[in-house]
Amino acid sequence: MAYVDNTMIIRRDLVANMAELFNDEKLVSNLDRVPLQMAPRNREDADRCCIFKERVIIKEKLIPLLGFELEDDRDELKTLGEYATEALERENPIEKILTVVDEACTACVQNSYIVTNLCKGCVAHPCMMNCPKKAVSWNANGQAQIDPKNCINCGICMNVCPYHSIIFMPVPCENACPVGAISKNEHGKEQIDEEKCIDCGKCITACPFGSIMENSQIVDVMKSLKSEQETIALVAPALYGQFKYKTENVIGAIKELGFHDVIEVAKGANVTTVNEADELLERLEDKAPFMTTSCCPAYVSAVKKHIPMMEQYVSHTKSPMYYTAELAKKQYPNAKLVFIGPCIAKRREGMADPNVDYVMTFEELSGLFTGWHVNIDGNPIELDRSIKNHGRAYAASGGVAQSVLEVKPYVNIKPVIVNGLDKKKINMLKAFAKTGKTSGNFIEVMACEGGCIAGPSSHYDPKTGMKIYQNNLKEFPEDL
C-alpha cells in the first residue's frame, strides 16, 4: 500500500532537485552539492547518527535515480557529477529494476516474537504452556522470555497472552514481499533475488528507511524532452486518482513539460476490454473452468516465476499499455514513447515492448513538475471524448471485470476479484491452478491492494486515491 511518509518525501525531493539541475543545465556541475544542501551542518532534525552518514545515503540514493545499479565493487570515490555525465551520454537505460542502498539498510533483526515490559508474569503462564517448542520461560524478574534458538515463530504465545504483552517484530520489506524474494546476505543486509522478484514494489513502500530504490529512467526522459526528438506521453488510467486537480489540467501540465502529445492509456484499455471479453467467451465455450486477467505485469511475472500451473488460464490479451503504444506508434512512427504510471513492474513490461522507450512513475512526474516549475493548475487540455469510461475503470481493483461485464452484459460472467497480492493470495492462486476450481469463471488479479491507484509510486493511499478518482470521473461523463 502506498502512503506518504518521510522516506517518500526525501525521494521526491531528490527527484525534484535532479530535475531542476537538469533544467538549469547544472546536473553535472552541481549534483554533488545536493547531499550537502539536504544535510547541512548544525542541522537540528537529523534522522541519522551524523550528517556525514546522511550525506553518504543521499549520494547513494541519487545513483539509482540517475539510472545506475549500486554494485558492490563500484568506485566509492566516483562523484555524482561523473555518474551524471555517463547518464547524459548513455544510449539505453539499464535493465535491472530495483536496488538496495546498503548504507541506508539498518540490517533489521530477523522476524521474531518479543516479550515487552507489559508482561505481568501471570500465574496462568499461557505463553509457556502452549509453546510447542518450550521456547518460553521465566526470567529473574518474573516475566516471560523467549529463547530465539528454540522459537519457530508460530505466534501462539502472542495469540494466547491475555495482556497482549508479546509482539511480532517483522523485517518490513521481507514481510511485505509476497514471493519471498528478499533475504539477508552474510552481512545482515537485505538483498533481492532477481529470479524470484516480480517487481511489485511492495518492498519500497514497506521499508521505513527508504533503503530500496528504483533504477530510474527519468534522466533519459528529460534528455528526450529537451532534444528535438518528438516525445509522446502515454498516461495510465490511475492518473485520475493521483493529483487533486482536474485531469484536464494535469494532462495540460504534462504537455507543458515538452511532450508533443499526451495519450490516455484508457484508449488502449478499451481495446483490451473488447479482446478480453471475446477471449473469455471463447474459453468458456471451450469448457475452460476460468480465465485470469493479464494486464497487471507483477501478477503475470508471479505466474511465470511462482505459479507456472496458472499459465494455461492467463489471458493472452495484451495490456492497455501495449495497445496504446501500438496506436501511438502508428500515429507517431518516429517518436519516443514514454509510459507514465504508478507501477514499478511496468518498467519490466516496457523493456519487453518494442514500442515503449521509457517508463516514468507518477512520483517522478511530480518531481518533474516541481523541478521544472510547471503549474499543474494552469493550462487545461480537453480530454479524448472517444474513450469509454470503462477503460478508465482499469485504475481500480475490480475495474477490469466491471469493464468486461459492461462490454458483454449478456454473458454469464462470474468475477473473482483478487485485490492485492500477498503470501496468502499467492497460495490461494496456486490452489486455483492446481484444482482448476474457483467460485467464479473470471479472475481479476491486481498486485496492489486497491488497484493501480495504490501502486508503489502513487501519491495517496487507496482510500484517498479512490475518492479523487471517483470525483474526477464524475466531472467527465463520457459521450456514448
Side-chain angles (χ1 to χ4, degrees):
M1 180 185 296
Y3 53 90
V4 175
D5 65 19
N6 196 46
T7 62
M8 290 186 176
I9 292 171
I10 292 170
R11 191 165 64 239
R12 292 167 187 179
D13 285 346
L14 290 172
V15 174
N17 275 314
M18 276 181 48
E20 184 170 32
L21 290 174
F22 186 100
N23 196 42
D24 294 340
E25 298 183 354
K26 295 179 180 178
L27 187 65
V28 174
S29 61
N30 284 18
L31 190 59
D32 281 290
R33 303 201 65 81
V34 171
L36 281 69
Q37 293 164 353
M38 293 184 68
R41 287 184 179 277
N42 303 317
R43 180 180 170 191
E44 294 181 358
D45 57 343
D47 296 317
R48 309 278 177 176
C49 60
C50 65
I51 61 167
F52 303 107
K53 182 167 184 176
E54 193 103 17
R55 290 172 179 176
V56 169
I57 291 172
I58 292 170
K59 176 186 175 181
E60 297 281 281
K61 288 185 176 183
L62 282 167
I63 293 171
L65 287 178
L66 286 166
F68 296 99
E69 166 64 4
L70 287 170
E71 298 171 339
D72 291 337
D73 60 349
R74 67 186 179 281
D75 180 2
E76 294 187 30
L77 294 179
K78 187 173 179 179
T79 66
L80 289 171
E82 291 174 307
Y83 279 108
T85 299
E86 290 183 22
L88 293 172
E89 293 175 350
R90 69 171 170 238
E91 293 293 326
N92 299 301
I94 65 171
E95 294 187 1
K96 191 169 181 181
I97 307 296
L98 297 172
T99 190
V100 178
V101 180
D102 283 350
E103 291 298 329
C105 180
T106 60
C108 304
V109 296
Q110 192 61 44
N111 287 346
S112 60
Y113 288 86
I114 297 172
V115 181
T116 70
N117 288 332
L118 294 174
C119 177
K120 300 296 183 181
C122 62
V123 176
H125 296 0
C127 54
M128 184 174 71
M129 300 293 290
N130 290 281
C131 179
K133 293 297 181 180
K134 308 301 180 186
V136 184
S137 60
W138 297 130
N139 62 24
N141 295 325
Q143 291 182 315
Q145 61 183 12
I146 300 173
D147 183 353
K149 293 180 181 178
N150 294 329
C151 180
I152 58 173
N153 289 331
C154 64
I156 292 175
C157 59
M158 182 182 72
N159 294 330
V160 299
C161 176
Y163 292 103
H164 304 287
S165 66
I166 301 176
I167 62 170
F168 176 63
M169 181 69 74
V171 177
C173 60
E174 292 183 19
N175 209 45
C177 181
V179 292
I182 305 178
S183 61
K184 296 182 183 301
N185 60 21
E186 64 273 19
H187 305 296
K189 301 287 187 177
E190 299 301 326
Q191 58 185 1
I192 299 173
D193 187 338
E194 290 289 314
E195 294 185 2
K196 292 182 179 180
C197 181
I198 60 173
D199 305 307
C200 65
K202 292 179 184 291
C203 55
I204 290 180
T205 56
C207 178
F209 288 90
S211 62
I212 302 175
M213 300 284 292
E214 297 175 72
N215 295 319
S216 176
Q217 298 174 3
I218 190 169
V219 172
D220 307 274
V221 174
M222 292 190 293
K223 282 162 54 181
S224 187
L225 290 173
K226 290 297 184 181
S227 70
E228 296 180 359
Q229 173 69 55
E230 195 174 46
T231 309
I232 310 299
L234 313 177
V235 190
L239 177 73
Y240 281 76
Q242 297 300 313
F243 298 93
K244 292 183 178 179
Y245 300 94
K246 290 184 178 181
T247 306
E248 295 94 323
N249 293 76
V250 180
I251 289 182
I254 294 172
K255 192 163 185 180
E256 196 175 330
L257 289 170
F259 287 99
H260 179 79
D261 195 5
V262 182
I263 302 174
E264 286 190 64
V265 173
K267 195 178 188 75
N270 288 160
V271 180
T272 296
T273 300
V274 173
N275 292 347
E276 195 91 280
D278 289 341
E279 185 179 355
L280 175 61
L281 181 59
E282 186 179 315
R283 289 197 185 210
L284 293 179
E285 288 175 349
D286 290 340
K287 307 301 180 184
F290 59 80
M291 183 182 84
T292 84
T293 54
S294 59
C295 57
C296 174
Y299 164 63
V300 173
S301 184
V303 168
K304 290 179 179 178
K305 294 182 177 183
H306 302 279
I307 325 172
M309 289 183 294
M310 184 63 87
E311 272 200 88
Q312 61 182 312
Y313 300 113
V314 177
S315 169
H316 296 145
T317 298
K318 301 295 185 181
S319 74
M321 182 184 81
Y322 175 90
Y323 291 120
T324 309
E326 195 173 54
L327 292 169
K329 205 65 177 177
K330 290 178 182 177
Q331 187 176 356
Y332 302 105
N334 299 316
K336 292 283 187 183
L337 304 186
V338 181
F339 174 84
I340 306 175
C343 181
I344 290 171
K346 280 292 183 186
R347 292 197 190 278
R348 185 78 64 194
E349 184 185 344
M351 290 174 185
D353 191 323
N355 292 325
V356 176
D357 295 284
Y358 308 119
V359 173
M360 186 168 72
T361 66
F362 286 133
E363 187 172 74
E364 292 167 339
L365 176 63
S366 177
L368 208 49
F369 284 152
T370 302
W372 287 14
H373 308 290
V374 171
N375 179 16
I376 302 178
D377 207 16
N379 301 307
I381 289 181
E382 185 176 357
L383 302 182
D384 188 342
R385 296 282 169 174
S386 70
I387 297 174
K388 303 296 182 183
N389 269 356
H390 66 71
R392 298 182 174 104
Y394 275 58
S397 182
V400 183
Q402 173 190 329
S403 301
V404 172
L405 284 166
E406 187 174 327
V407 170
K408 300 285 184 182
Y410 53 85
V411 180
N412 185 26
I413 299 172
K414 299 177 182 177
V416 175
I417 308 302
V418 180
N419 182 20
L421 286 180
D422 55 25
K423 295 177 177 71
K424 289 183 179 179
K425 301 273 181 64
I426 291 288
N427 288 332
M428 180 183 72
L429 289 166
K430 285 180 179 178
F432 289 167
K434 186 176 181 180
T435 63
K437 296 179 181 179
T438 181
S439 59
N441 54 24
F442 184 57
I443 305 175
E444 179 197 306
V445 186
M446 292 282 194
C448 299
E449 187 177 347
C452 302
I453 288 173
S457 295
S458 295
H459 282 256
Y460 299 105
D461 60 274
K463 185 177 179 180
T464 305
M466 177 60 75
K467 187 175 181 180
I468 297 170
Y469 165 77
Q470 290 174 337
N471 287 339
N472 275 327
L473 283 191
K474 283 178 185 176
E475 293 180 6
F476 182 61
E478 61 180 320
D479 294 340
L480 298 175

